[in-house]
Amino acid sequence: MRLTRRLQIRLWPCTLAVSALTFALAATSLIAASPPTARGFAEDICYTPGAPPHSCGPLPVVCPPDNPNDPICGARAFLRYAYTLRQPLGGRSLVHTDSTYIIARKVGFSVRDAYWIAAYSEATDLGTFVPRDLRGNLLPNAGALTTKDIGGLVRTHFATGGFLFHFLPTMRGPRSPQPNGLQPNVNDPRHEVMLTHIRKWAMDGPGSAAPLCTGGFTNRTATGDYATGATCYGGEQPVPINGQYSLVDPMDIPFQNMTGRQVISDGVTSDRFDSYIGNQSANARTGIYIHALGDRISHHVCTDEGRITPPTPRQRAFDIDLLVPGCDQGPHAVRHEFETGVDFGKLERQDRTTEATLSMVYDELVNFARLRGTLDPSATTPAAKTAVVTNGLLPALERRNPEARLRAVTSVGCRLGVPAFPGSPAC
């Protein structure tokens, strides 16, 4: 089956064939220079030294919001994001960072805790988050607001298993229905392996015995899941995690990890997470999980199609298959351009990931605030959620101009009594 697919020949219309070939060649050359883009809610605000911010990857005006599979738009989007990755000052995601901060504060977390949850959410993409102002300048107190390095979790770090914090595949049998990644079941460890694994680790909190394992794979529990066991799979005898991720169908990017404790940073594995992070460990755990939840939804078209195959007596390895059309880099990049700066109402339902993510992030941060004993009871009402998400953040994130979008998101928080995110214009 796999060999047949790799050798499959497709008959494309002439113009599509040329565009696909151009994209494949461009993508291949980029892969040779650096890892591929693996971005959930990619940075939409990029810093321009000494000037206002620019959009990291705006949807070209010629690209329709209801067709992520247009090959020309896919090639342009992929190349634009590859360019963005190389910018020296980088940027931030208004979904992973500012929106998470506002929601966390509104459901009951302190301003300080809300900031660190958001900062570690963004650091899950970047390795380290450092706050900057609108013109890319470091804040005067940036050192005190900079996260520890968690580079082992970064989206392009295939060797550490970081990639799997962003592309969270599911485990299902041949007769299991395809999961609904727009609303992933956070209480289903049998199928949502990585997502539920990170959630349990985050909820159990600092000092707990809950492991954080590469790929989310623990020893199988009595109830049959590989996500919530007490130890990482294999213990002192780890097994391979063999994966393949689609570049351009049927071209794949192979990767391999070993089961065991997740690498957090150089020389730091997950058993040392709390001592390494320090007094922000609980917030860091929460931020990492909230980021993974957002990426599960952002990448659901890819990961809903993919699957995990667990080890057997004859094949002692986990197999992760993301060599599926939904993971191709062109549509993948275009879908990230659908996530900010566009009219969400014009998107197909499966591509309305910003709405789905902010809704679930709100609900989950309510759960985490309740667990911490900081929940604002009024935050549990439908009206409160509507004010923050539906009538607040979503319209703000639709602004096409990047500075206007950032200011609009900040204004949402200000109207709700949330101080501006560090580096944003003051309320």
Side-chain angles (χ1 to χ4, degrees), residues 214-418:
T214 307
F217 299 129
T218 67
N219 285 309
R220 195 173 187 183
T221 67
T223 56
D225 73 80
Y226 289 94
T228 61
T231 56
C232 295
Y233 188 90
E236 298 301 317
Q237 296 181 311
V239 304
I241 302 170
N242 299 319
Q244 52 184 353
Y245 169 53
S246 182
L247 175 59
V248 180
D249 185 40
M251 297 168 56
D252 73 325
I253 304 159
F255 61 92
Q256 186 177 76
N257 305 119
M258 298 296 291
T259 58
R261 294 167 177 160
Q262 173 64 41
V263 172
I264 304 299
S265 185
D266 287 342
V268 179
T269 49
S270 56
D271 55 314
R272 295 177 50 207
F273 183 88
D274 298 327
S275 60
Y276 172 67
I277 298 296
N279 60 10
Q280 296 302 331
S281 179
N283 292 326
R285 287 178 180 235
T286 303
I288 291 166
Y289 166 66
I290 290 299
H291 184 105
L293 172 63
D295 280 12
R296 171 67 181 97
I297 298 169
S298 175
H299 292 143
H300 82 95
V301 172
C302 166
T303 51
D304 284 358
E305 287 187 58
R307 68 175 67 229
I308 302 167
T309 303
T312 66
R314 298 183 61 183
Q315 179 64 32
R316 287 189 50 77
F318 286 93
D319 182 75
I320 297 176
D321 186 357
L322 295 174
L323 182 57
V324 293
C327 295
D328 285 359
Q329 293 301 291
H332 167 207
V334 172
R335 284 192 166 96
H336 286 316
E337 294 181 349
F338 287 168
E339 291 175 330
T340 55
V342 302
D343 182 346
F344 299 138
K346 293 182 178 179
L347 302 174
E348 296 293 329
R349 183 180 179 277
Q350 68 172 3
D351 295 327
R352 297 174 70 160
T353 53
T354 305
E355 296 170 81
T357 292
L358 293 184
S359 178
M360 284 203 70
V361 165
Y362 190 99
D363 294 343
E364 283 293 77
L365 284 173
V366 164
N367 290 331
F368 275 81
R370 182 182 290 114
L371 191 65
R372 296 253 205 114
T374 66
L375 178 65
D376 180 347
S378 67
T380 62
T381 66
K385 182 177 179 179
T386 296
V388 177
V389 177
T390 308
N391 297 337
L393 292 171
L394 288 173
L397 290 166
E398 290 179 321
R399 302 286 186 92
R400 184 169 179 85
N401 178 275
E403 184 173 356
R405 185 164 64 248
L406 189 154
R407 290 181 181 275
V409 169
T410 300
S411 294
V412 170
C414 293
R415 292 197 303 271
L416 296 169
V418 180

Side-chain angles (χ1 to χ4, degrees), residues 4-295:
T4 301
R5 183 169 183 192
R6 287 174 184 266
L7 295 179
Q8 183 179 21
I9 298 174
R10 297 174 182 263
L11 297 177
W12 295 63
C14 181
T15 55
L16 298 189
V18 171
S19 299
L21 178 60
T22 301
F23 174 74
L25 292 173
T28 302
S29 66
L30 285 169
I31 294 302
S34 65
T37 52
R39 313 160 68 82
F41 288 102
E43 297 90 300
D44 58 300
I45 298 296
C46 275
Y47 304 119
T48 303
H54 66 273
S55 280
C56 301
L59 181 69
V61 293
V62 298
C63 294
D66 59 353
N67 180 18
N69 298 306
D70 182 289
I72 296 176
C73 293
R76 291 178 64 177
F78 182 90
L79 293 171
R80 180 60 185 262
Y81 277 126
Y83 166 79
T84 293
L85 274 179
R86 290 163 174 76
Q87 298 312 291
L89 298 184
R92 74 178 191 252
S93 162
L94 293 179
V95 175
H96 281 316
T97 309
D98 300 55
S99 297
T100 296
Y101 163 74
I102 291 169
I103 293 172
R105 176 66 187 121
K106 284 306 297 178
V107 302
F109 287 97
S110 68
V111 171
R112 179 179 176 82
D113 286 347
Y115 170 77
W116 285 109
I117 289 169
Y120 274 99
S121 172
E122 188 64 79
T124 308
D125 260 346
L126 305 180
T128 304
F129 178 72
V130 184
R132 296 179 181 272
D133 65 19
L134 264 65
R135 292 179 175 261
N137 301 307
L138 290 174
L139 301 188
N141 61 339
L145 296 175
T146 298
T147 66
K148 292 289 184 70
D149 175 72
I150 54 172
L153 313 186
V154 165
R155 56 200 173 195
T156 53
H157 290 189
F158 284 79
T160 64
F163 171 76
L164 297 172
F165 281 77
H166 308 271
F167 280 78
L168 292 76
T170 57
M171 182 179 290
R172 52 197 169 96
R175 297 182 181 179
S176 301
Q178 184 166 301
N180 175 18
L182 269 180
Q183 295 180 301
N185 186 345
V186 299
N187 294 302
D188 181 13
R190 288 181 65 92
H191 300 100
E192 293 284 351
V193 177
M194 186 64 164
L195 184 63
T196 57
H197 178 76
I198 303 171
R199 185 178 192 262
K200 183 179 189 304
W201 171 78
M203 281 196 150
D204 283 7
S208 71
L212 181 64
C213 307
T214 307
F217 299 129
T218 67
N219 285 309
R220 195 173 187 183
T221 67
T223 56
D225 73 80
Y226 289 94
T228 61
T231 56
C232 295
Y233 188 90
E236 298 301 317
Q237 296 181 311
V239 304
I241 302 170
N242 299 319
Q244 52 184 353
Y245 169 53
S246 182
L247 175 59
V248 180
D249 185 40
M251 297 168 56
D252 73 325
I253 304 159
F255 61 92
Q256 186 177 76
N257 305 119
M258 298 296 291
T259 58
R261 294 167 177 160
Q262 173 64 41
V263 172
I264 304 299
S265 185
D266 287 342
V268 179
T269 49
S270 56
D271 55 314
R272 295 177 50 207
F273 183 88
D274 298 327
S275 60
Y276 172 67
I277 298 296
N279 60 10
Q280 296 302 331
S281 179
N283 292 326
R285 287 178 180 235
T286 303
I288 291 166
Y289 166 66
I290 290 299
H291 184 105
L293 172 63
D295 280 12

